[in-house]
Amino acid sequence: MKNIYGLTLQDLENYFLEIGSKKFHAEQLFRWLYEKRIESFEEVTNIKKEIIDIIKNDYSISRLSIVDIQEDVDVCKYLFELEDKEHIEAVLMRHDYGNSVCISSQVGCNMGCKFCESGRRKKVRNLETYEMVLQLLMIEKLLGERISHVVVMGIGEPFDNYDNLIHFFEIINHPKGMAIGARHITVSTCGVVPKILEFSEFPLQINLAISLHAPNNMIRNQIMPINKVYPLEELIPAIKTYLEKTNRRVTFEYILLKDINDSEQCAVDLAKLIHNINCYVNLIPYNETNNLEYKRTNNIQIMRFYDILKKNNVNVTIRKEFGGNISAACGQLRSKKEDL
Ligand code: SAH
């Protein structure tokens, strides 16, 4: 049975018309779900019982199970079990500006980035829209506080699950839904060019981050197989098109991997590659994992890399690290339950 948390307000309106009911019930039900946070259709008091019975026949309102929670200072990792017993993770980060949650978009990932722990498990399936929505709803409930920021940077390649992702954005951004501001939502892609172009037509002002991680094709091909499909000479123009159409900025994520992409020449080349792009660069200290041989660049070299970018007028920051102690850091989202 389909799950009610996968429907946008528009979908709900169409549904009410289809079952011969009134369109305005859609907004009422949407508010029950996202403002009042009901957990059973019985709690709805302003829609006739006969109609509720029809809905109950067509849609489930069930939630996901949370089977493990690991907490550390300012960070908390949640392990969810899906209806088909697959597992995914989401991470809550407490910032001074609010609560940010990093969600997963797929079970496993097929992009095969060499340095990424969560991609070692191949994609089993896409997450349904409701499974993305419920990661947020359930964390908010446990927390008893609002989530102010959402990043789609957990397990999976969100642009390999584009349609469900877009519906997810429409639901969580809607002022009558969870009302999370578009500018507080970020999606990160390894560089799926056709979807970047499609996303440039999407009306909500959601932030786009690109996992760049290399200043040239030679290095990028070594560590990110997607680059063989969409090399930099396609990726960079696609990003420029996105910027022209949306008038926004893009964030480039750049993990610093010892002796792979962290030389001073790499910093110079990176500055050249992006010199006329309206962007931020986010330098990410690599989180080492036991299973992969990549090493983290030391702090002195990170600062050198940073300084070269600064000197070349790049807007650059070094990412604050969260969750290293509980394997909740970037690229480490993979539960011990499913260890390979
Ligand atoms: N597939 C998307 C989103 C998920 S990965 C993407 O590639 O952008 C989120 C970010 O974490 C990416 O920038 C990814 O390259 C980075 N990452 C992966 N493994 C990491 C690790 N071990 N340490 C630091 N960042 C890592």
Side-chain angles (χ1 to χ4, degrees):
M1 195 192 285
K2 285 178 286 178
N3 191 300
I4 197 78
Y5 293 106
L7 299 191
T8 61
L9 181 55
Q10 178 78 54
D11 293 336
L12 267 182
E13 285 176 353
N14 294 341
Y15 171 72
F16 275 99
L17 292 177
E18 257 166 48
I19 61 172
S21 178
K22 299 282 189 308
K23 191 170 145 185
F24 68 85
H25 284 323
E27 193 176 313
Q28 291 173 327
L29 182 56
F30 208 66
R31 286 182 187 272
W32 283 105
L33 293 172
Y34 297 104
E35 282 179 4
K36 306 205 183 68
R37 304 288 168 99
I38 56 167
E39 296 194 13
S40 98
F41 289 121
E42 259 72 49
E43 296 175 55
V44 175
T45 54
N46 53 1
I47 301 176
K48 274 198 293 221
K49 182 167 182 314
E50 299 85 79
I51 297 178
I52 292 294
D53 286 342
I54 300 175
I55 302 173
K56 270 162 65 181
N57 247 327
D58 291 340
Y59 287 98
S60 128
I61 186 172
S62 68
R63 301 195 158 205
L64 312 175
S65 354
I66 294 186
V67 290
D68 191 30
I69 299 180
Q70 289 187 47
E71 278 195 84
D72 199 351
V73 189
D74 291 343
V75 54
C76 190
K77 178 167 83 166
Y78 304 84
L79 178 67
F80 291 91
E81 184 166 281
L82 310 175
E83 278 160 32
D84 55 2
K85 305 292 173 205
E86 293 293 346
H87 295 96
I88 51 156
E89 288 167 304
V91 179
L92 162 76
M93 289 157 284
R94 291 170 170 282
H95 296 273
D96 41 14
Y97 57 76
N99 294 317
S100 163
V101 171
C102 173
I103 69 145
S104 294
S105 58
Q106 297 181 315
V107 179
C109 180
N110 273 349
M111 298 300 120
C113 298
K114 296 287 195 297
F115 48 80
C116 179
E117 175 76 6
S118 34
R120 287 204 308 130
R121 184 162 182 241
K122 288 282 150 268
K123 177 169 100 176
V124 177
R125 65 175 177 85
N126 283 330
L127 289 190
E128 298 296 332
T129 299
Y130 79 89
E131 292 170 320
M132 292 189 258
V133 172
L134 281 173
Q135 290 175 61
L136 298 181
L137 277 184
M138 296 191 63
I139 292 177
E140 272 199 350
K141 172 151 194 234
L142 277 176
L143 199 63
E145 285 174 33
R146 290 276 326 236
I147 293 169
S148 56
H149 292 70
V150 174
V151 296
V152 189
M153 291 193 190
I155 300 170
E157 168 47 49
F159 280 2
D160 185 35
N161 185 15
Y162 191 79
D163 294 347
N164 291 343
L165 178 79
I166 291 297
H167 284 133
F168 164 70
F169 289 151
E170 286 168 350
I171 293 169
I172 65 165
N173 170 255
H174 201 286
K176 287 161 190 152
M178 293 185 81
I180 299 175
R183 284 164 179 265
H184 287 188
I185 305 173
T186 301
V187 58
S188 174
T189 177
C190 63
V192 184
V193 164
K195 296 299 168 190
I196 294 173
L197 294 173
E198 201 171 331
F199 195 60
S200 66
E201 310 280 351
F202 184 57
L204 299 183
Q205 300 203 312
I206 286 167
N207 305 307
L208 178 64
I210 307 282
S211 294
L212 189 60
H213 306 332
N216 59 47
N217 282 327
M218 202 189 64
I219 299 177
R220 204 161 190 267
N221 282 341
Q222 268 175 39
I223 55 178
M224 299 180 73
I226 188 78
N227 199 65
K228 296 187 181 144
V229 187
Y230 304 113
L232 291 174
E233 56 276 18
E234 291 182 35
L235 178 60
I236 297 293
I239 292 167
K240 287 186 177 159
T241 304
Y242 167 85
L243 294 174
E244 273 162 29
K245 290 206 174 155
T246 59
N247 263 319
R248 309 220 54 219
R249 270 193 195 190
V250 74
T251 300
F252 287 115
E253 293 153 281
Y254 195 103
I255 303 177
L256 286 160
L257 300 163
K258 183 172 187 305
D259 297 335
I260 305 274
N261 64 357
D262 63 348
S263 68
E264 295 178 15
Q265 188 60 48
C266 281
V268 173
D269 293 347
L270 175 61
K272 268 191 210 138
L273 180 72
I274 60 176
H275 86 276
N276 55 1
I277 297 180
N278 189 10
C279 66
Y280 296 102
V281 171
N282 203 349
L283 294 178
I284 308 174
Y286 181 59
N287 296 302
E288 293 178 9
T289 73
N290 292 334
N291 303 305
L292 303 168
E293 80 266 32
Y294 291 95
K295 292 279 172 256
R296 176 196 192 101
T297 298
N298 69 42
N299 289 348
I300 297 173
Q301 188 62 25
I302 293 181
M303 280 319 292
R304 259 191 219 132
F305 202 94
Y306 173 90
D307 286 339
I308 295 173
L309 293 179
K310 274 260 151 190
K311 267 193 212 114
N312 285 277
N313 300 319
V314 175
N315 295 309
V316 54
T317 52
I318 299 173
R319 178 178 291 175
K320 173 167 185 231
E321 291 178 86
F322 273 100
N325 294 336
I326 56 170
S327 302
C330 305
Q332 295 191 335
L333 291 186
R334 196 170 59 100
S335 85
K336 296 209 175 62
K337 266 196 148 125
E338 292 171 33
D339 220 335
L340 296 170

